[in-house]
Amino acid sequence: MLEKKPVLFMLLATAAILVGTIITMAMPFLWVNTDADRIETVTPYTPIQQEGRDIYIREGCNNCHTQTVRPLVAEVLRYGDYSKSGEFVYDRPFLWGSRRTGPDLARLGGKYPDAWHYKHMESPRSMVPQTNMPDYPWLNDTALDPESIRNKMETLGFPYTEEQIKELNGKTEMDAMVAYLQKLGSDIPWRKVAETTIVGDLTNPFPGDASAIAAGKDVYSSNCAACHGDNLEGMIGPALTDMGMEDADLYQVIHSGIPDGGMPGFSNLGSTKLWQLVNFINAEK
Amino acid sequence: MENPSYNTDIVRSFVTWSLVWGLVAVLVGVIVSFQMINPDLNFGPYLTFGRLRPIHTNAGIYGWGVGTIFATFLYMVQRLCKQPLWSDKLAKFQLWFFNATIIASAVTLLLGYTTSKEYHEMEWPIDIMVVILWVVFAVNIIMTIINRKEEQMYISLWYMMAALIGVAILYLVNAAAVPASLFKSYSAYAGTNDANVHWWFGHNAVAMALTAPPLAMFYYFLPKSTGVPIYSHRLSIIAFWSLIFMYLWTGAHHLLWTPVPDWVQTLAMAFSIMLIAPSWGSVINGYLSMNGQWHQMKENYLVKFLILGITFYGLQTLQGPMQSIRSFSAFIHYTDWVPAHIHMGTMGWVSMISYACIYYLVTRISGRDLYSVPLANLHFWLALVGQLLWTVPLWVAGVLQAGMWNAMNEDGSLTYTFMETMVEMYPFWWARGIAGVIFMIGVLIFIYNIYMTVRKKESAPSTATAEGRA
Amino acid sequence: MDWASILYLGITFGLFVIFALIVVRTYSRKRKDENEVAKFRMLDDD
Ligand code: HEM
């Protein structure tokens, strides 16, 4: 019987393995990456972005960073709009990851100005003192090889122009990495959609309150200092001393950011922390 | 003494090399765990966390795990079939090629040649080496089984054959890629499809490399160590078919809440929960096999390793299904909870079983008493404490961080920034680093004990060793 | 009930039948010795 016929046994075992395989692994191909989940605005990577992606893979950034936002309240608040299948059609391989030692990067594009990334990649601890992200300064030292990138674009079948290949000359791996990071998750216009408007009138709930100012200092250190300097002296963003903004205007700027200028919005800090910030900044002038 | 026609030299060689790669895996594990505490320990470009972590996981699974699989399968198949190995030459080639593959993997991963797919990071030339290696191994085992003298096929052979087929299918499908150059390829699947294929592979690598083979070993080495048969061969048969049928449906439990189609996620969740039954079929079979033999837990160091191993397997297969429930996954996914789950499996289940097998094989093949049973007991405790000190704090850490990630203020804003949650992890990561060192000391003692056993000059063959009794 | 549900139900039922058949076959009295003998034979070879 079966117990004595190894070949028959192996055939049956293969059949048992294939049932679940066909249903849960093969069948999804009928729906995924078809017209059913296509998103028109999603575009393939440009040569420099694709090269940045390959460097991201080479350095194993995916061992600390995920790239998919789940449709859960806290997660959408923290990272941005949840990920959709159609956004990943050009991702070979996928880079969703499995562990968030660092934050999710699926919606990173446009969150920070380029200058922030250059500085952060070179030395993360200079921006975020307690991070455990390694320094990647050597990315600045290696020039890109346009011909090998052209070859990659051909292999992938992605469109490119001679112009784009020529532009790679003189660029470094760091340039490619930043170009890739700025593309992440920005193919759908979620930032515009997610812009929240402030309802109600803006009156400072604790004007001049010393404890609010002290609390504001802490919020500032963990959220703003990387760009505006430890003492508001300015760095990537301008100095915040002597601005002479009204409380309400200042609140508005911090809440919604200045997207085109590289100032992220901080609406997810909540109104209490935002007012603490306002009081802190305006007390420093 | 040994039946001279059985090839035991090859078993001994595989044991040696799996010990080497096992030590490498643990050592690199300790290094990366301290890199997470202090980023100054990254020495770019080669020795950074992003490049070393895959070397830790692959040395563990392919070097230590598969190396032990090679050693034990080649031993068991000859005994269970009462038939010498089909081809000694092929086995020799396999040994040589195995080490070449592991070394090539380690070097290329350090150089940054990686696909980024977890547990399948090696680039396409090395994929080809792995396939050759596996085919050579499978052919040798299967031909030995076909030529066997013992008509009955014991349950261990079933699990071995399933693992041979399963790994082959999984690896080939997931490896499909288009090369762009010698060490760079692009996956044949894109985005969501790639994720789904990959975790179908990933979870079933757990089934076919970290579950079926250790079960084959457990079913063989437990009765051999205790001297009494397993409780029920029929129960093991039912559990076998259910296990290999159900595992393949569950890959998407790694992808809950992602863009993978909902029905795939739901099936994965349902089958994961059903998997408790066949998994516990083996656990219960193991426990009942100890009926009337529980005193051996005290007297026989091999039994200690084996029974603790199957116990962690039981816990693992309760925790896994729990993690596969959507609401629970929403909470603990992406946190340190999951690495703790992994390490109860690898340090508590796979390694415990492998240790017992290796102690058994080395004393058996050399025909000598173990150099020191007290040292083996010390090894047992270091492995157990090391594992628990690793996993328990990180479960706590995972829950803590998940709670902080989800904490919201009354006005609907988030309570903590990412960094505020991340710095809370440092004390737990310290505990893990120390646990890793403890576990590694255990491995060193283990290797020392094995070395002293085979080195010992006065070879006084003893019958007591045969059953591993002290 | 729509066709999809009937199909699901049918497949699920079919799987249970297969499972039951395996159990019945494995545990049939006739095969008891045949199915348990391997566990004793594996201990012989020492
Ligand atoms: C019934 C059995 C099991 C089930 C249902 C199960 C379930 C799961 C789930 C749901 C995850 C993903 C957790 C997450 O990312 O949120 C996971 C991860 C993992 N499990 Fe299990 N598990 C089982 C048994 C085992 C065993 C026996 C091992 C052996 C070592 C194991 C090793 C792993 C590994 C290595 C991962 C990590 C994958 C990654 O890198 O994300 N599991 N398991």
Side-chain angles (χ1 to χ4, degrees):
Chain A
M1 269 319 285
L2 181 60
E3 298 49 43
K4 298 176 189 162
K5 290 209 175 74
V7 177
L8 176 65
F9 166 83
M10 281 190 287
L11 287 175
L12 282 174
T14 310
I17 288 174
L18 285 182
V19 181
T21 297
I22 289 170
I23 294 179
T24 64
M25 188 277 276
M27 275 187 18
F29 278 83
L30 296 176
W31 291 274
V32 174
N33 296 352
T34 65
D35 280 335
D37 60 0
R38 178 152 300 140
I39 300 174
E40 288 304 328
T41 52
V42 174
T43 53
Y45 296 96
T46 63
I48 194 164
Q49 290 166 349
Q50 180 63 42
E51 182 63 8
R53 191 170 198 272
D54 289 343
I55 297 166
Y56 182 99
I57 291 171
R58 184 188 73 197
E59 297 308 333
C61 310
N62 54 296
N63 288 302
C64 282
H65 290 288
T66 58
Q67 286 191 18
T68 178
V69 181
R70 298 174 295 173
L72 303 167
V73 179
E75 201 151 320
V76 170
L77 265 179
R78 189 177 296 283
Y79 300 116
D81 196 9
Y82 67 89
S83 298
K84 323 223 171 359
S85 181
E87 291 183 83
F88 300 100
V89 277
Y90 299 111
D91 284 15
R92 290 172 196 265
F94 79 111
L95 287 174
W96 293 356
S98 62
R99 171 77 183 95
R100 282 180 184 153
T101 301
D104 188 272
L105 302 181
R107 295 284 173 215
L108 184 71
K111 177 175 176 185
Y112 301 118
D114 286 357
W116 188 92
H117 285 297
Y118 280 97
K119 202 154 174 267
H120 182 256
M121 288 303 298
E122 210 174 300
S123 170
R125 272 166 296 165
S126 70
M127 324 274 293
V128 186
Q130 285 180 291
T131 183
N132 68 354
M133 174 159 154
D135 303 348
Y136 291 95
W138 70 86
L139 295 183
N140 279 319
D141 305 336
T142 319
L144 298 181
D145 171 7
E147 282 318 305
S148 89
I149 298 173
R150 180 204 300 279
N151 172 41
K152 288 176 172 179
M153 295 298 280
E154 293 286 343
T155 310
L156 285 161
F158 287 170
Y160 65 91
T161 62
E162 285 309 312
E163 192 77 4
Q164 287 175 321
I165 300 289
K166 223 185 284 144
E167 278 169 6
L168 298 172
N169 281 306
K171 292 259 165 66
T172 62
E173 293 191 333
M174 188 67 95
D175 299 322
M177 177 65 90
V178 174
Y180 169 62
L181 294 176
Q182 293 293 23
K183 151 101 170 169
L184 281 174
S186 53
D187 279 348
I188 59 172
W190 68 275
R191 276 188 202 279
K192 288 249 150 40
V193 179
E195 263 170 27
T196 42
T197 38
I198 304 166
V199 285
D201 54 324
L202 291 172
T203 36
N204 191 343
F206 8 76
D209 177 346
S211 68
I213 293 173
K217 190 171 165 51
D218 290 339
V219 183
Y220 179 87
S221 305
S222 45
N223 295 283
C224 324
C227 288
H228 291 284
D230 286 338
N231 303 308
L232 298 87
E233 73 276 21
M235 233 162 43
I236 287 166
L240 297 181
T241 44
D242 299 324
M243 283 190 310
M245 266 196 210
E246 290 300 322
D247 285 355
D249 295 342
L250 185 52
Y251 183 96
Q252 178 81 48
V253 168
I254 306 172
H255 176 277
S256 308
I258 310 172
D260 299 332
M263 162 71 195
F266 286 89
S267 58
N268 69 9
L269 286 178
S271 62
T272 310
K273 281 186 183 165
L274 288 180
W275 279 120
Q276 288 166 346
L277 271 173
V278 168
N279 283 293
F280 167 68
I281 292 174
N282 272 343
E284 291 287 303
K285 56 176 154 216
Chain B
M1 277 303 290
E2 287 304 310
N3 180 334
S5 62
Y6 290 160
N7 184 344
T8 50
D9 284 353
I10 193 69
V11 177
R12 198 163 39 198
S13 305
F14 271 115
V15 166
T16 309
W17 284 103
S18 84
L19 288 176
V20 170
W21 299 124
L23 184 60
V24 170
V26 176
L27 181 66
V28 179
V30 169
I31 294 173
V32 290
S33 73
F34 282 105
Q35 282 182 329
M36 285 185 71
I37 300 169
N38 182 357
D40 280 332
L41 298 173
N42 287 281
F43 300 99
Y46 303 115
L47 302 177
T48 57
F49 179 84
R51 295 192 187 189
L52 284 177
R53 194 187 116 138
I55 294 185
H56 161 65
T57 55
N58 286 302
I61 295 179
Y62 295 99
W64 164 237
V66 173
T68 315
I69 290 174
F70 286 165
T72 52
F73 278 27
L74 290 169
Y75 180 87
M76 288 190 287
V77 76
Q78 303 184 66
R79 297 303 177 119
L80 288 172
C81 295
K82 301 206 166 75
Q83 171 76 19
L85 211 52
W86 182 63
S87 165
D88 292 339
K89 280 216 189 76
L90 216 50
K92 237 201 156 76
F93 170 76
Q94 185 195 338
L95 174 70
W96 176 87
F97 205 64
F98 165 68
N99 285 312
T101 308
I102 301 291
I103 292 169
S105 307
V107 171
T108 53
L109 288 176
L110 269 187
L111 292 175
Y113 301 127
T114 171
T115 66
S116 85
K117 293 191 182 184
E118 267 184 283
Y119 316 126
H120 204 151
E121 278 93 347
M122 284 80 91
E123 266 294 356
W124 67 273
I126 294 170
D127 274 348
I128 294 177
M129 293 175 80
V130 173
V131 172
I132 295 174
L133 186 63
W134 199 257
V135 169
V136 164
F137 171 54
V139 166
N140 217 349
I141 298 282
I142 290 171
M143 289 311 289
T144 309
I145 294 177
I146 288 178
N147 291 333
R148 72 196 185 286
K149 303 238 164 46
E150 166 65 57
E151 198 187 19
Q152 294 292 331
M153 292 201 295
Y154 182 59
I155 188 67
S156 294
L157 287 177
W158 298 38
Y159 276 110
M160 286 161 65
M161 283 188 278
L164 293 177
I165 302 167
V167 170
I169 298 176
L170 294 164
Y171 204 86
L172 280 175
V173 172
N174 196 46
V178 185
S181 63
L182 183 56
F183 284 112
K184 176 75 197 169
S185 66
Y186 292 107
S187 173
Y189 323 106
T192 308
N193 279 329
D194 196 39
N196 194 45
V197 171
H198 177 71
W199 282 114
W200 162 82
F201 162 87
H203 188 69
N204 292 293
V206 168
M208 298 300 168
L210 303 180
T211 295
L215 280 176
M217 301 174 202
F218 177 77
Y219 277 123
Y220 181 86
F221 290 97
L222 181 73
K224 286 290 188 185
S225 303
T226 58
V228 294
I230 56 160
Y231 165 70
S232 167
H233 199 250
R234 288 174 296 173
L235 177 57
S236 71
I237 291 173
I238 304 286
F240 171 85
W241 287 111
S242 321
L243 188 92
I244 67 161
F245 177 76
M246 288 189 216
Y247 244 105
L248 281 293
W249 298 69
T250 56
H253 64 210
H254 293 261
L255 296 169
L256 298 175
W257 301 99
T258 70
V260 165
D262 267 347
W263 62 269
V264 182
Q265 299 181 24
T266 306
L267 277 175
M269 183 163 103
F271 273 84
S272 300
I273 290 168
M274 295 197 292
L275 258 181
I276 296 175
S279 307
W280 271 79
S282 294
V283 177
I284 288 171
N285 215 344
Y287 284 156
L288 291 180
S289 307
M290 292 295 290
N291 264 346
Q293 301 297 324
W294 285 105
H295 58 92
Q296 292 206 32
M297 273 295 270
K298 235 167 78 196
E299 300 150 7
N300 185 335
Y301 67 95
L302 293 177
V303 173
K304 259 191 248 182
F305 281 100
L306 290 166
I307 291 300
L308 254 289
I310 199 77
T311 302
F312 284 117
Y313 176 66
L315 294 176
Q316 186 80 354
T317 52
L318 288 178
Q319 186 182 52
M322 188 164 95
Q323 292 164 192
S324 312
I325 297 170
R326 270 206 184 84
S327 50
F328 195 73
S329 171
F331 197 62
I332 53 85
H333 191 46
Y334 302 133
T335 71
D336 273 328
W337 175 286
V338 180
H341 167 72
I342 299 172
H343 286 81
M344 177 163 65
T346 52
M347 298 160 97
W349 155 236
V350 181
S351 292
M352 286 294 210
I353 299 293
S354 302
Y355 292 146
C357 297
I358 290 177
Y359 278 126
Y360 179 95
L361 290 178
V362 167
T363 48
R364 216 37 232 282
I365 291 173
S366 65
R368 295 173 184 178
D369 278 328
L370 188 67
Y371 169 69
S372 162
V373 172
L375 276 186
N377 282 322
L378 178 61
H379 171 216
F380 171 82
W381 286 107
L382 290 173
L384 181 63
V385 170
Q387 186 254 123
L388 289 174
L389 190 58
W390 201 124
T391 53
V392 176
L394 280 243
W395 282 315
V396 177
V399 172
L400 177 71
Q401 197 175 26
M404 291 180 84
W405 282 349
N406 285 298
M408 298 218 275
N409 302 323
E410 272 176 20
D411 62 356
S413 58
L414 296 170
T415 311
Y416 301 102
T417 62
F418 185 86
M419 276 310 288
E420 282 166 346
T421 74
M422 190 269 203
V423 294
E424 296 297 323
M425 299 295 108
Y426 281 119
F428 298 99
W429 289 343
W430 269 107
R432 167 171 66 186
I434 294 164
V437 172
I438 294 175
F439 194 85
M440 188 166 69
I441 294 173
V443 174
L444 289 170
I445 290 175
F446 171 55
I447 293 176
Y448 173 76
N449 208 351
I450 298 289
Y451 173 74
M452 294 305 283
T453 305
V454 292
R455 198 205 62 149
K456 235 175 14 179
K457 288 264 154 33
E458 12 60 84
S459 65
S462 132
T463 42
T465 38
E467 279 122 70
R469 297 213 180 83
Chain C
M1 243 178 8
D2 58 0
W3 282 110
S5 321
I6 294 174
L7 196 70
Y8 271 122
L9 215 67
I11 292 175
T12 311
F13 184 72
L15 289 175
F16 271 108
V17 170
I18 295 176
F19 180 70
L21 286 178
I22 296 176
V23 174
V24 168
R25 180 178 180 284
T26 310
Y27 274 89
S28 74
R29 226 169 260 285
K30 206 170 79 214
R31 286 208 178 71
K32 171 155 197 242
D33 294 339
E34 193 186 331
N35 276 335
E36 291 291 354
V37 65
K39 78 178 186 198
F40 300 109
R41 308 258 319 157
M42 66 83 68
L43 282 173
D44 288 354
D45 179 60
D46 269 320

